[in-house]
Amino acid sequence: MADIIKRLGWRHLRTAPTAHVRHFRRGRLVHDGPGLSFWFRALTAALSEVPVDDRELAMAFHARTSDFQDVSVQATVTYRISEPATAAARLDFSIDPDTGVWRGAPLEQLSTLLTETAQQHALDVLARTPLAAALVDGVAAVLERITDGLAAEPRLPATGITVVAVRVVALRPEPEVERALRTPAREQIQQESDRATYERRAVAVERERAIAENELASRIELARREEQLVEQHGTNARREAEENAAADAVRAEAEAARTVQLAKAEAEAAREVGQARAQAQAAWLRVHAEVDAATLHALAATRVAENLPRIDSLTLSPDVLTGLLAKLGRADGEQS
């Protein structure tokens, strides 16, 4: 939209570089071009503003496939008004000299033209395509058909319009049909997921089995080594016992030999001592045999005295003393 300023019956117009302005004064073209800025009088001026930038036109429409299934098509057409003079001559792009607003709706007319043309070609290609094929390859087919149809449409160049690009965003069936079509795919995906889950579980079980087998093999090997260790301990203990028994036998033999030698020595000593005692006894007897009887009695009394217990003190009571004195008196009387 052009910017218009009022000054004392004059108007000043300023447009953007993407807007092409045509200014007629009394039927004669005065200004023609994009991004203009000029003064004019409202009573004698006829103004038109044509946008020359690229514009996006989003469109959505319904179509029916060859198997009578409704589908919705979403597309976008990018177009440009390449011939502003032609477009201004064919469509009403005139603007109000006081406000700069279009008096008509030229862009809506262009949108209707592009939408109807694209819809006609899309309906034509989808009407000969079943739903399954349309959902698989329909986007490319519709895109190609709309592009070719717009390029061959004679009304567009006659209106000064150039189609820059066409994009088909989506091609979708009715919600109920879409859900019905999704069900087998979902079931297949679920089956794939379940199979993947089962495979993962099988792999996990296989790995757990391998780990368990490795642990069992490790335990068996450990038990075997423990058995070997116990056997080796028994062999070592048996060997140690045998060596200890052999050592004890050697010690016992040595002790027995020593005991025998000691006993022989003791017997020899006892024999020699006995012989010495016998010789001494024989000598003693020979000596006593040569001594008279009185001497022997004296020696016997001496031996008896030596063997009597020692008397440190002797206590005589009057009765004992009286008796001894009486016995002594009687003895003296008998002797006299």
Side-chain angles (χ1 to χ4, degrees), residues 23-44:
H23 175 210
F24 291 89
R25 184 171 57 197
R26 294 188 180 92
R28 184 170 58 88
L29 183 62
V30 180
H31 298 94
D32 186 15
L36 298 180
S37 178
F38 55 86
W39 290 91
F40 67 93
R41 298 182 69 86
L43 296 178
T44 59

PDB file of all heavy atoms in Angstrom, residues 23-44:
ATOM      1  N   HIS A  23       1.013   6.256 -12.998  1.00  0.00           N
ATOM      2  CA  HIS A  23       0.314   7.513 -12.728  1.00  0.00           C
ATOM      3  C   HIS A  23      -0.141   8.106 -14.066  1.00  0.00           C
ATOM      4  O   HIS A  23       0.682   8.434 -14.925  1.00  0.00           O
ATOM      5  CB  HIS A  23       1.240   8.499 -11.999  1.00  0.00           C
ATOM      6  CG  HIS A  23       0.633   9.844 -11.808  1.00  0.00           C
ATOM      7  ND1 HIS A  23       1.391  11.010 -11.748  1.00  0.00           N
ATOM      8  CD2 HIS A  23      -0.672  10.250 -11.685  1.00  0.00           C
ATOM      9  CE1 HIS A  23       0.589  12.041 -11.577  1.00  0.00           C
ATOM     10  NE2 HIS A  23      -0.674  11.596 -11.544  1.00  0.00           N
ATOM     11  N   PHE A  24      -1.464   8.207 -14.206  1.00  0.00           N
ATOM     12  CA  PHE A  24      -2.041   8.845 -15.391  1.00  0.00           C
ATOM     13  C   PHE A  24      -2.624  10.194 -14.985  1.00  0.00           C
ATOM     14  O   PHE A  24      -3.295  10.302 -13.948  1.00  0.00           O
ATOM     15  CB  PHE A  24      -3.153   7.971 -16.001  1.00  0.00           C
ATOM     16  CG  PHE A  24      -2.640   6.700 -16.627  1.00  0.00           C
ATOM     17  CD1 PHE A  24      -2.505   5.534 -15.869  1.00  0.00           C
ATOM     18  CD2 PHE A  24      -2.312   6.673 -17.981  1.00  0.00           C
ATOM     19  CE1 PHE A  24      -2.056   4.377 -16.454  1.00  0.00           C
ATOM     20  CE2 PHE A  24      -1.872   5.498 -18.551  1.00  0.00           C
ATOM     21  CZ  PHE A  24      -1.729   4.339 -17.802  1.00  0.00           C
ATOM     22  N   ARG A  25      -2.340  11.194 -15.820  1.00  0.00           N
ATOM     23  CA  ARG A  25      -2.928  12.531 -15.569  1.00  0.00           C
ATOM     24  C   ARG A  25      -3.609  12.972 -16.852  1.00  0.00           C
ATOM     25  O   ARG A  25      -2.983  13.096 -17.906  1.00  0.00           O
ATOM     26  CB  ARG A  25      -1.835  13.520 -15.182  1.00  0.00           C
ATOM     27  CG  ARG A  25      -2.376  14.905 -14.820  1.00  0.00           C
ATOM     28  CD  ARG A  25      -1.294  15.776 -14.245  1.00  0.00           C
ATOM     29  NE  ARG A  25      -0.172  15.895 -15.190  1.00  0.00           N
ATOM     30  CZ  ARG A  25       1.029  16.303 -14.855  1.00  0.00           C
ATOM     31  NH1 ARG A  25       1.309  16.607 -13.573  1.00  0.00           N
ATOM     32  NH2 ARG A  25       2.000  16.398 -15.786  1.00  0.00           N
ATOM     33  N   ARG A  26      -4.935  13.092 -16.737  1.00  0.00           N
ATOM     34  CA  ARG A  26      -5.784  13.434 -17.876  1.00  0.00           C
ATOM     35  C   ARG A  26      -5.569  12.451 -19.024  1.00  0.00           C
ATOM     36  O   ARG A  26      -5.477  12.795 -20.183  1.00  0.00           O
ATOM     37  CB  ARG A  26      -5.525  14.862 -18.351  1.00  0.00           C
ATOM     38  CG  ARG A  26      -5.930  15.925 -17.340  1.00  0.00           C
ATOM     39  CD  ARG A  26      -5.812  17.315 -17.962  1.00  0.00           C
ATOM     40  NE  ARG A  26      -6.202  18.330 -16.997  1.00  0.00           N
ATOM     41  CZ  ARG A  26      -5.372  18.951 -16.184  1.00  0.00           C
ATOM     42  NH1 ARG A  26      -4.087  18.639 -16.195  1.00  0.00           N
ATOM     43  NH2 ARG A  26      -5.819  19.873 -15.358  1.00  0.00           N
ATOM     44  N   GLY A  27      -5.466  11.134 -18.644  1.00  0.00           N
ATOM     45  CA  GLY A  27      -5.341  10.072 -19.633  1.00  0.00           C
ATOM     46  C   GLY A  27      -3.953   9.866 -20.175  1.00  0.00           C
ATOM     47  O   GLY A  27      -3.750   8.995 -21.029  1.00  0.00           O
ATOM     48  N   ARG A  28      -2.975  10.595 -19.676  1.00  0.00           N
ATOM     49  CA  ARG A  28      -1.614  10.472 -20.176  1.00  0.00           C
ATOM     50  C   ARG A  28      -0.721   9.918 -19.066  1.00  0.00           C
ATOM     51  O   ARG A  28      -0.789  10.341 -17.926  1.00  0.00           O
ATOM     52  CB  ARG A  28      -1.115  11.839 -20.635  1.00  0.00           C
ATOM     53  CG  ARG A  28       0.272  11.802 -21.280  1.00  0.00           C
ATOM     54  CD  ARG A  28       0.575  13.154 -21.917  1.00  0.00           C
ATOM     55  NE  ARG A  28       0.497  14.215 -20.932  1.00  0.00           N
ATOM     56  CZ  ARG A  28       1.529  14.606 -20.168  1.00  0.00           C
ATOM     57  NH1 ARG A  28       2.694  13.989 -20.264  1.00  0.00           N
ATOM     58  NH2 ARG A  28       1.363  15.596 -19.307  1.00  0.00           N
ATOM     59  N   LEU A  29       0.082   8.932 -19.434  1.00  0.00           N
ATOM     60  CA  LEU A  29       0.960   8.292 -18.452  1.00  0.00           C
ATOM     61  C   LEU A  29       2.077   9.250 -18.089  1.00  0.00           C
ATOM     62  O   LEU A  29       2.865   9.660 -18.950  1.00  0.00           O
ATOM     63  CB  LEU A  29       1.529   6.982 -19.018  1.00  0.00           C
ATOM     64  CG  LEU A  29       2.415   6.172 -18.082  1.00  0.00           C
ATOM     65  CD1 LEU A  29       1.638   5.707 -16.847  1.00  0.00           C
ATOM     66  CD2 LEU A  29       3.000   4.959 -18.813  1.00  0.00           C
ATOM     67  N   VAL A  30       2.157   9.556 -16.785  1.00  0.00           N
ATOM     68  CA  VAL A  30       3.152  10.515 -16.311  1.00  0.00           C
ATOM     69  C   VAL A  30       4.294   9.791 -15.574  1.00  0.00           C
ATOM     70  O   VAL A  30       5.468  10.052 -15.818  1.00  0.00           O
ATOM     71  CB  VAL A  30       2.501  11.562 -15.388  1.00  0.00           C
ATOM     72  CG1 VAL A  30       3.552  12.559 -14.890  1.00  0.00           C
ATOM     73  CG2 VAL A  30       1.383  12.284 -16.123  1.00  0.00           C
ATOM     74  N   HIS A  31       3.949   8.904 -14.663  1.00  0.00           N
ATOM     75  CA  HIS A  31       4.945   8.157 -13.898  1.00  0.00           C
ATOM     76  C   HIS A  31       4.667   6.666 -14.069  1.00  0.00           C
ATOM     77  O   HIS A  31       3.508   6.233 -14.012  1.00  0.00           O
ATOM     78  CB  HIS A  31       4.898   8.510 -12.402  1.00  0.00           C
ATOM     79  CG  HIS A  31       5.218   9.956 -12.126  1.00  0.00           C
ATOM     80  ND1 HIS A  31       4.230  10.949 -12.011  1.00  0.00           N
ATOM     81  CD2 HIS A  31       6.422  10.582 -11.953  1.00  0.00           C
ATOM     82  CE1 HIS A  31       4.806  12.102 -11.758  1.00  0.00           C
ATOM     83  NE2 HIS A  31       6.138  11.914 -11.712  1.00  0.00           N
ATOM     84  N   ASP A  32       5.723   5.898 -14.258  1.00  0.00           N
ATOM     85  CA  ASP A  32       5.583   4.457 -14.441  1.00  0.00           C
ATOM     86  C   ASP A  32       6.879   3.783 -13.956  1.00  0.00           C
ATOM     87  O   ASP A  32       7.930   3.972 -14.563  1.00  0.00           O
ATOM     88  CB  ASP A  32       5.322   4.121 -15.912  1.00  0.00           C
ATOM     89  CG  ASP A  32       5.020   2.638 -16.106  1.00  0.00           C
ATOM     90  OD1 ASP A  32       4.728   1.957 -15.079  1.00  0.00           O
ATOM     91  OD2 ASP A  32       5.104   2.159 -17.244  1.00  0.00           O
ATOM     92  N   GLY A  33       6.774   3.033 -12.860  1.00  0.00           N
ATOM     93  CA  GLY A  33       7.959   2.330 -12.359  1.00  0.00           C
ATOM     94  C   GLY A  33       7.809   1.943 -10.896  1.00  0.00           C
ATOM     95  O   GLY A  33       6.892   2.389 -10.205  1.00  0.00           O
ATOM     96  N   PRO A  34       8.739   1.125 -10.387  1.00  0.00           N
ATOM     97  CA  PRO A  34       8.690   0.722  -8.979  1.00  0.00           C
ATOM     98  C   PRO A  34       9.417   1.722  -8.075  1.00  0.00           C
ATOM     99  O   PRO A  34      10.374   2.385  -8.495  1.00  0.00           O
ATOM    100  CB  PRO A  34       9.416  -0.631  -8.988  1.00  0.00           C
ATOM    101  CG  PRO A  34      10.391  -0.512 -10.126  1.00  0.00           C
ATOM    102  CD  PRO A  34       9.753   0.370 -11.145  1.00  0.00           C
ATOM    103  N   GLY A  35       8.959   1.818  -6.844  1.00  0.00           N
ATOM    104  CA  GLY A  35       9.612   2.643  -5.828  1.00  0.00           C
ATOM    105  C   GLY A  35       9.602   4.118  -6.151  1.00  0.00           C
ATOM    106  O   GLY A  35      10.580   4.813  -5.828  1.00  0.00           O
ATOM    107  N   LEU A  36       8.528   4.667  -6.747  1.00  0.00           N
ATOM    108  CA  LEU A  36       8.480   6.082  -7.117  1.00  0.00           C
ATOM    109  C   LEU A  36       8.011   6.934  -5.952  1.00  0.00           C
ATOM    110  O   LEU A  36       7.367   6.454  -5.019  1.00  0.00           O
ATOM    111  CB  LEU A  36       7.544   6.276  -8.305  1.00  0.00           C
ATOM    112  CG  LEU A  36       7.938   5.563  -9.600  1.00  0.00           C
ATOM    113  CD1 LEU A  36       6.905   5.847 -10.681  1.00  0.00           C
ATOM    114  CD2 LEU A  36       9.317   5.973 -10.039  1.00  0.00           C
ATOM    115  N   SER A  37       8.328   8.237  -6.069  1.00  0.00           N
ATOM    116  CA  SER A  37       7.896   9.219  -5.082  1.00  0.00           C
ATOM    117  C   SER A  37       7.660  10.538  -5.834  1.00  0.00           C
ATOM    118  O   SER A  37       8.593  11.091  -6.425  1.00  0.00           O
ATOM    119  CB  SER A  37       8.961   9.391  -3.995  1.00  0.00           C
ATOM    120  OG  SER A  37       8.540  10.379  -3.074  1.00  0.00           O
ATOM    121  N   PHE A  38       6.429  11.064  -5.777  1.00  0.00           N
ATOM    122  CA  PHE A  38       6.111  12.271  -6.563  1.00  0.00           C
ATOM    123  C   PHE A  38       4.868  12.940  -5.980  1.00  0.00           C
ATOM    124  O   PHE A  38       4.134  12.357  -5.178  1.00  0.00           O
ATOM    125  CB  PHE A  38       5.896  11.901  -8.038  1.00  0.00           C
ATOM    126  CG  PHE A  38       4.849  10.845  -8.249  1.00  0.00           C
ATOM    127  CD1 PHE A  38       3.488  11.182  -8.350  1.00  0.00           C
ATOM    128  CD2 PHE A  38       5.194   9.498  -8.347  1.00  0.00           C
ATOM    129  CE1 PHE A  38       2.530  10.206  -8.546  1.00  0.00           C
ATOM    130  CE2 PHE A  38       4.247   8.521  -8.543  1.00  0.00           C
ATOM    131  CZ  PHE A  38       2.919   8.865  -8.635  1.00  0.00           C
ATOM    132  N   TRP A  39       4.663  14.204  -6.425  1.00  0.00           N
ATOM    133  CA  TRP A  39       3.485  14.992  -6.054  1.00  0.00           C
ATOM    134  C   TRP A  39       2.478  14.908  -7.194  1.00  0.00           C
ATOM    135  O   TRP A  39       2.846  14.817  -8.359  1.00  0.00           O
ATOM    136  CB  TRP A  39       3.839  16.473  -5.837  1.00  0.00           C
ATOM    137  CG  TRP A  39       4.676  16.684  -4.578  1.00  0.00           C
ATOM    138  CD1 TRP A  39       6.014  16.688  -4.490  1.00  0.00           C
ATOM    139  CD2 TRP A  39       4.156  16.936  -3.301  1.00  0.00           C
ATOM    140  NE1 TRP A  39       6.430  16.921  -3.206  1.00  0.00           N
ATOM    141  CE2 TRP A  39       5.259  17.077  -2.422  1.00  0.00           C
ATOM    142  CE3 TRP A  39       2.879  17.050  -2.759  1.00  0.00           C
ATOM    143  CZ2 TRP A  39       5.150  17.343  -1.086  1.00  0.00           C
ATOM    144  CZ3 TRP A  39       2.766  17.323  -1.415  1.00  0.00           C
ATOM    145  CH2 TRP A  39       3.882  17.449  -0.576  1.00  0.00           C
ATOM    146  N   PHE A  40       1.205  14.947  -6.822  1.00  0.00           N
ATOM    147  CA  PHE A  40       0.152  14.905  -7.825  1.00  0.00           C
ATOM    148  C   PHE A  40      -1.087  15.577  -7.255  1.00  0.00           C
ATOM    149  O   PHE A  40      -1.211  15.774  -6.045  1.00  0.00           O
ATOM    150  CB  PHE A  40      -0.144  13.464  -8.242  1.00  0.00           C
ATOM    151  CG  PHE A  40      -0.758  12.629  -7.147  1.00  0.00           C
ATOM    152  CD1 PHE A  40      -2.148  12.508  -7.017  1.00  0.00           C
ATOM    153  CD2 PHE A  40       0.052  11.967  -6.209  1.00  0.00           C
ATOM    154  CE1 PHE A  40      -2.705  11.739  -6.006  1.00  0.00           C
ATOM    155  CE2 PHE A  40      -0.511  11.209  -5.205  1.00  0.00           C
ATOM    156  CZ  PHE A  40      -1.894  11.081  -5.092  1.00  0.00           C
ATOM    157  N   ARG A  41      -2.013  15.882  -8.166  1.00  0.00           N
ATOM    158  CA  ARG A  41      -3.294  16.467  -7.762  1.00  0.00           C
ATOM    159  C   ARG A  41      -4.343  15.378  -7.884  1.00  0.00           C
ATOM    160  O   ARG A  41      -4.421  14.665  -8.893  1.00  0.00           O
ATOM    161  CB  ARG A  41      -3.649  17.664  -8.632  1.00  0.00           C
ATOM    162  CG  ARG A  41      -2.618  18.801  -8.520  1.00  0.00           C
ATOM    163  CD  ARG A  41      -3.046  19.983  -9.363  1.00  0.00           C
ATOM    164  NE  ARG A  41      -4.229  20.639  -8.824  1.00  0.00           N
ATOM    165  CZ  ARG A  41      -4.212  21.597  -7.883  1.00  0.00           C
ATOM    166  NH1 ARG A  41      -3.031  21.982  -7.387  1.00  0.00           N
ATOM    167  NH2 ARG A  41      -5.318  22.151  -7.478  1.00  0.00           N
ATOM    168  N   ALA A  42      -5.144  15.222  -6.862  1.00  0.00           N
ATOM    169  CA  ALA A  42      -6.105  14.120  -6.778  1.00  0.00           C
ATOM    170  C   ALA A  42      -7.189  14.204  -7.838  1.00  0.00           C
ATOM    171  O   ALA A  42      -7.684  13.183  -8.317  1.00  0.00           O
ATOM    172  CB  ALA A  42      -6.736  14.075  -5.385  1.00  0.00           C
ATOM    173  N   LEU A  43      -7.563  15.418  -8.256  1.00  0.00           N
ATOM    174  CA  LEU A  43      -8.688  15.551  -9.177  1.00  0.00           C
ATOM    175  C   LEU A  43      -8.321  15.143 -10.592  1.00  0.00           C
ATOM    176  O   LEU A  43      -9.192  14.772 -11.389  1.00  0.00           O
ATOM    177  CB  LEU A  43      -9.194  16.999  -9.161  1.00  0.00           C
ATOM    178  CG  LEU A  43      -9.771  17.461  -7.816  1.00  0.00           C
ATOM    179  CD1 LEU A  43     -10.192  18.936  -7.884  1.00  0.00           C
ATOM    180  CD2 LEU A  43     -10.976  16.611  -7.421  1.00  0.00           C
ATOM    181  N   THR A  44      -7.032  15.193 -10.913  1.00  0.00           N
ATOM    182  CA  THR A  44      -6.620  14.895 -12.281  1.00  0.00           C
ATOM    183  C   THR A  44      -5.791  13.621 -12.393  1.00  0.00           C
ATOM    184  O   THR A  44      -5.280  13.308 -13.479  1.00  0.00           O
ATOM    185  CB  THR A  44      -5.790  16.068 -12.828  1.00  0.00           C
ATOM    186  OG1 THR A  44      -4.636  16.258 -11.989  1.00  0.00           O
ATOM    187  CG2 THR A  44      -6.630  17.338 -12.865  1.00  0.00           C
TER     188      THR A  44
END
